[in-house]
Amino acid sequence: MMHVSEMFSARVPRYTSYPTAPHFHSGIDGATYHSWLSALEPQTPLSLYVHIPFCDTLCWFCGCHTTVVNHYEPVKSYCELLRKEIGLVATALGTRRRVQHLHWGGGSPTLLKEDETNRLVGALRENFDFTADAEFAIEIDPRGFGRANAKVLAAAGVTRASIGLQDCDPEVQRAINRIQSDEETSQVIAMLRAEGIPSINLDLVYGLPRQTLASWEKTLTFALRLEPDRLAVFGYAHVPSFKKHQALIPEALLPDVEMRLRLAELARDVLSRHGYVPIGLDHFARPHDKLAMSARDGSLERNFQGYTTDSAPALIGLGASSIGSLPQGYVQNVSVVPVYRKMLEAGVLPVRAGIRLSLEDRIRRQVIERLMCDLKVDLDGVTAKYSTTRDLLSDSLAALAGYAADGIVSLDGGKVTIAPEWRAATRLVCAAFDTYLVQGTAAHSVSV
Ligand SMILES: C[S@@+](CC[C@H](N)C(=O)[O-])C[C@H]1O[C@@H](n2cnc3c(N)ncnc32)[C@H](O)[C@@H]1O
Ligand code: SF4
C-alpha cells in the first residue's frame, strides 16, 4: 500500500462542480448565457447566489474571492451594479420565475448597511417570485456584527445564518490574522436567535497554522456549546501560488498531512459523539436537520456553496466571480469589479467563461456528485439514465484497482463504495472519474 501521507498529499479539486472551474473557457460569453437563460422552461424553479466580494480585514488563510475595503463607497456602488445585473438576468429570462433558494456569500455580505441590504432584497423580490418556503441563507462574519444587523437580516427574511468561527485558539487566530473572541461569537448567535432566525450554521477550519489536537478539541467543544444546527468543517486549502496573501502563513507552522488527517478524525469523533451526523466529506448536522434527512434519503446535492438540500435545476450566480449552473452548463462572471462594472454599464451580462456540458460530462458529474454526497455510486444506474453503459467509465474503474486492493473502495460490478473509515479519501476516488484532471495545470490543495 502507498504510504497514507503520500497518498493524501495528492492535489485534487473539491468537486463543487464538474468539470471544475479551471476548465471553464472564454468561448462561453454573455451572449451564450443570455440564450441559456431565455431557453429555461418557465416552470423551472431557480436558486440564486449573490456574491459580495468585500471584507473589513483580510484573514491570511482566506481562499474566497474578496478584497479589503476601507471605505463604504465601493460597496455601495457595487450594490447598484448588482441590481443592474439582476435586471439584466430577469430580462433575459423573459418571464417571472419562481425562486426556492437564495444564498448571499462572499467575502462578507454582512458588510452591507441596512439601505443596501434592503434595496438588494427589494430588487430580488421585484424581479422574482419567492416560494413561501424559500430558504434565505447568508454568510456572516461575527466580528463587529451587532443587534441592529441581526434585526435587518431577520426583517429581510433570512432563514439560515452561516457564521465564520474557524478556530478559537488565540495563537491560531494570530497566525491567520483573525482575532475573534468566543464572547463575540456567542453573542452574535444569541442575537440571531433572539430575532427568530431559525437555523444556525458554523464554519470551522482544520489544518490552520499552529493548530494542535488539544487546541482543536477546545475549538470543537466551544462550537458544540453554541448548539449549531449544522457545521461545516473545511480542510484549510493552502495554495499561495494562487492566493498570494496565504504566503504570509509560514509553511513550517502548518500541520502536515498526517496531522490534518488526525484533526479531521478528531472533529468527526467529537461531533458524532455529540449527536451530529457526518454528511459527505466535511459537513455535520443534527439528525432532524434537512441536510441530514436528505443525506439519509439519497437526495443530498453538491454545489458551489458545498452540500445542499437545494434541488433547483438552475442556479443563477449574481455578482463578480459568481458561478451559475444551468441545465446547459456552467457560467462564471468576471472577478475584477471594474471589468464587471464596465460590462454591466454596456448592458452586457458580465460573463468571463463557462463550459457547455457534453453527455460524458453529465454522466461523470453525476458519478462524482453521488460519491461526494453518498460515498457510493451505482455506475449502471447512472449510465442507464443516459442510455449508455458503464463501459464508458472503464478507464476510471481501472484507475480504482489500486484503491480496491488497499480496501479504500469496494467494487461490486458497477457499484463503487468508499469504506467508511476512508471517507477522507473521497476526493481522491472522485478524481479517478475526472477526465480533465490529467490535462490540468490548475493549483489545487492537498486532498485531505
Ligand atoms: C466567505 S467565508 C464566510 C463568511 C465570512 N467572510 C467569515 O469569514 O466569517 C466562507 C468560509 O470559507 C471557509 N474558508 C475560507 N478560506 C478557506 C480556505 N483557504 N480553506 C478552507 N476553507 C476556507 C471559511 O470557513 C469561511 O467561513
Ligand atoms: S475568511 Fe471571511 S472575513 Fe476573512 S477574508 Fe475571507 S471572506 Fe473575508
Side-chain angles (χ1 to χ4, degrees), residues 125-141:
R125 294 202 190 275
E126 234 166 72
N127 287 282
F128 297 97
D129 289 328
F130 284 80
T131 57
D133 60 349
E135 282 201 9
F136 180 0
I138 186 166
E139 294 173 11
I140 294 181
D141 176 357

Side-chain angles (χ1 to χ4, degrees), residues 13-33:
R14 294 179 55 237
Y15 294 111
T16 52
S17 71
Y18 180 81
T20 55
H23 302 285
F24 297 176
H25 58 81
S26 59
I28 304 294
D29 59 8
T32 324
Y33 184 34

Side-chain angles (χ1 to χ4, degrees), residues 391-441:
D391 288 348
L392 181 80
L393 304 167
S394 55
D395 56 335
S396 304
L397 267 178
L400 289 180
Y403 292 146
D406 291 339
I408 295 170
V409 290
S410 67
L411 304 176
D412 173 12
K415 292 197 173 68
V416 180
T417 309
I418 299 169
E421 66 276 22
W422 286 101
R423 180 185 286 262
T426 304
R427 285 164 62 186
L428 291 169
V429 175
C430 290
F433 291 92
D434 180 350
T435 48
Y436 292 81
L437 196 57
V438 274
Q439 325 154 8
T441 51

